[in-house]
Amino acid sequence: MVKIKTKYLRNLESLQTAYSNCYGDCVGDIRMLKLSLLIAMFESGDMFEKLSKMLENSFIIDIDRDVDYLLWGNTATWYALKTKTASSGSPLSYETLCKEEKISLANRLADMMPPEPETATDYIKNDKDLYKTDSITYSERTKFRETINNLNNENVFNTTLLDYAIDNAMKRLCNTLCNISKLIDKRKDSKYYESLYKNQVFTYNNIIGEAVKGKYIEWKNRFCEDDINDDSIKSHVEEAIVELLKAGVFDEIEVNTTSRRNPDFKKEIDFEDYDIPKKKKPYELYARFRGFYTFRNGLYTVDEAKAGRLLVKLRKDVDKLEAFFTFQQTLK
């Protein structure tokens, strides 16, 4: 299965690239690049602060699937990206081409804006054009021109101010990332894990519900109606348990049990009837499985708090999470 980067990693990697470009070789006006970086850095700080607050109430299952928050939250990680100082960088901009162009740049950029319509027919171009265009008012064009002029004015907008603001925004982001790391490792109570389990049941019902339903219908259609009885349902559940154990969901989980319980477990399920490699020690895995499930009157019931803790342990392995919830939906 191809691993897809989480939105958290994509966000931080994009910031990393922008940060590196602003303090190394870059293409474009350095101030424009730094303004863009400042806005992105500030908005990312807001996003991760919201995530930090959410973590206090409920775990976010993919929050650290591919992100080491202590590493990303280390300011030295960011400062190491400064391959060159801003003064020694060599940005390619209109200043290097023609100094006089700077004076008229705002007017020239404003001329690229859609014109104010004189008549209603100006709103829509003729049929030969491949697109339609909106218009802007003269007041909007004036505001745009004034903004560009301010950006060009070193007394209003300069790299020294931007560097200071970027540095503060970066430190704020790093503090938030370190806090997220602390929250991930913080001990929680049973209600917290029960909430996590219930939230993920809802999420995975939407993700894999149709696929599980399809497998159930396929199994059901193999029988005549009268043939679906306690024995056939028991076999169906046992096959689902075998698939769950083979998926490795409990391979890294230890429980307080001994092999002396194997005879009792054999009364619940006989692995000799199923294709599961002996090297996987099926009854040992089943003992781990039973650490999370009670078995009474032929029915398996999950302990929701324990299941929540299991999900935290499995959170970096999407395949195991899907196998777990496939089994849960099969039980239903």
Side-chain angles (χ1 to χ4, degrees):
M1 181 178 179
V2 178
K3 290 188 177 181
I4 300 174
K5 292 180 180 180
T6 62
K7 60 184 176 182
Y8 315 114
L9 180 60
R10 294 198 304 271
N11 176 281
L12 291 170
E13 286 183 341
S14 295
L15 278 179
Q16 183 185 64
T17 299
Y19 190 89
S20 179
N21 288 342
C22 284
Y23 293 100
D25 289 324
C26 62
V27 176
D29 190 304
I30 191 67
R31 290 175 302 165
M32 300 302 109
L33 291 174
K34 287 186 176 181
L35 176 61
S36 177
L37 171 63
L38 174 60
I39 294 171
M41 189 78 75
F42 192 85
E43 289 182 341
S44 293
D46 281 351
M47 181 191 79
F48 282 107
E49 279 188 356
K50 289 178 181 177
L51 290 172
S52 180
K53 291 178 181 177
M54 289 172 61
L55 275 172
E56 294 177 0
N57 300 313
S58 182
F59 196 83
I60 301 170
I61 203 70
D62 64 344
I63 187 72
D64 66 335
R65 184 167 293 157
D66 50 12
V67 177
D68 181 339
Y69 285 92
L70 280 182
L71 177 62
W72 283 98
N74 185 350
T75 55
T77 301
W78 295 87
Y79 287 135
L81 300 174
K82 289 188 175 184
T83 56
K84 292 185 178 181
T85 61
S87 59
S88 64
S90 54
L92 172 64
S93 72
Y94 51 87
E95 290 180 289
T96 63
L97 301 176
C98 179
K99 187 174 181 180
E100 287 75 15
E101 287 185 2
K102 181 176 180 180
I103 301 174
S104 62
L105 178 65
N107 287 329
R108 292 170 60 214
L109 291 177
D111 289 340
M112 293 182 179
M113 299 293 103
E116 182 182 34
E118 295 181 2
T119 64
T121 55
D122 288 336
Y123 277 104
I124 302 176
K125 295 196 172 185
N126 59 46
D127 294 338
K128 293 182 180 179
D129 288 337
L130 298 178
Y131 61 91
K132 298 178 181 179
T133 183
D134 293 326
S135 62
I136 62 173
T137 65
Y138 284 122
S139 175
E140 289 171 327
R141 291 164 67 90
T142 299
K143 289 178 181 178
F144 178 81
R145 188 183 297 108
E146 289 174 351
T147 299
I148 298 299
N149 279 325
N150 279 330
L151 293 178
N152 286 331
N153 188 340
E154 285 284 346
N155 294 323
V156 177
F157 185 70
N158 57 62
T159 55
T160 302
L161 290 174
L162 283 170
D163 286 339
Y164 182 84
I166 289 171
D167 196 56
N168 280 339
M170 181 267 288
K171 290 176 181 176
R172 172 201 175 211
L173 173 65
C174 287
N175 286 335
T176 302
L177 297 178
C178 288
N179 187 53
I180 286 176
S181 180
K182 292 178 182 177
L183 287 171
I184 290 172
D185 295 332
K186 185 179 179 181
R187 292 180 65 86
K188 293 93 176 178
D189 59 22
S190 294
K191 289 184 179 180
Y192 182 96
Y193 290 108
E194 287 176 10
S195 174
L196 166 63
Y197 168 76
K198 290 175 181 177
N199 288 338
Q200 289 305 304
V201 165
F202 177 78
T203 298
Y204 273 88
N205 277 347
N206 294 327
I207 294 174
I208 63 175
E210 286 301 316
V212 176
K213 181 181 177 181
K215 290 180 180 179
Y216 166 72
I217 293 174
E218 181 183 339
W219 169 81
K220 184 179 178 181
N221 289 339
R222 300 207 311 258
F223 298 86
C224 293
E225 187 172 345
D226 293 339
D227 291 333
I228 298 181
N229 50 36
D230 289 345
D231 288 337
S232 57
I233 292 175
K234 180 176 182 293
S235 296
H236 185 51
V237 172
E238 289 181 352
E239 289 172 3
I241 291 174
V242 169
E243 292 304 311
L244 180 66
L245 300 185
K246 289 168 69 174
V249 171
F250 303 100
D251 285 2
E252 307 301 324
I253 305 299
E254 294 297 335
V255 294
N256 294 323
T257 187
T258 65
S259 60
R260 286 179 295 178
R261 291 195 61 187
N262 283 1
D264 295 330
F265 290 150
K266 196 165 185 178
K267 295 176 183 177
E268 297 175 4
I269 180 172
D270 189 349
F271 287 106
E272 296 295 332
D273 297 335
Y274 297 100
D275 180 23
I276 181 169
K278 289 185 177 180
K279 65 180 180 179
K280 290 189 74 73
K281 299 180 180 179
Y283 282 107
E284 183 179 322
L285 292 179
Y286 184 75
R288 298 176 187 180
F289 163 83
R290 287 284 273 103
F292 297 88
Y293 289 84
T294 58
F295 183 68
R296 188 176 294 111
N297 299 326
L299 297 176
Y300 289 95
T301 305
V302 71
D303 183 309
E304 294 184 352
K306 289 183 178 179
R309 290 184 174 88
L310 175 64
L311 298 182
V312 173
K313 289 182 177 295
L314 299 178
R315 67 187 184 273
K316 297 188 179 185
D317 194 320
V318 178
D319 291 338
K320 289 183 180 179
L321 285 174
E322 188 169 310
F324 175 81
F325 285 107
T326 296
F327 175 74
Q328 278 302 105
Q329 291 186 39
T330 300
L331 288 184
K332 292 183 179 179

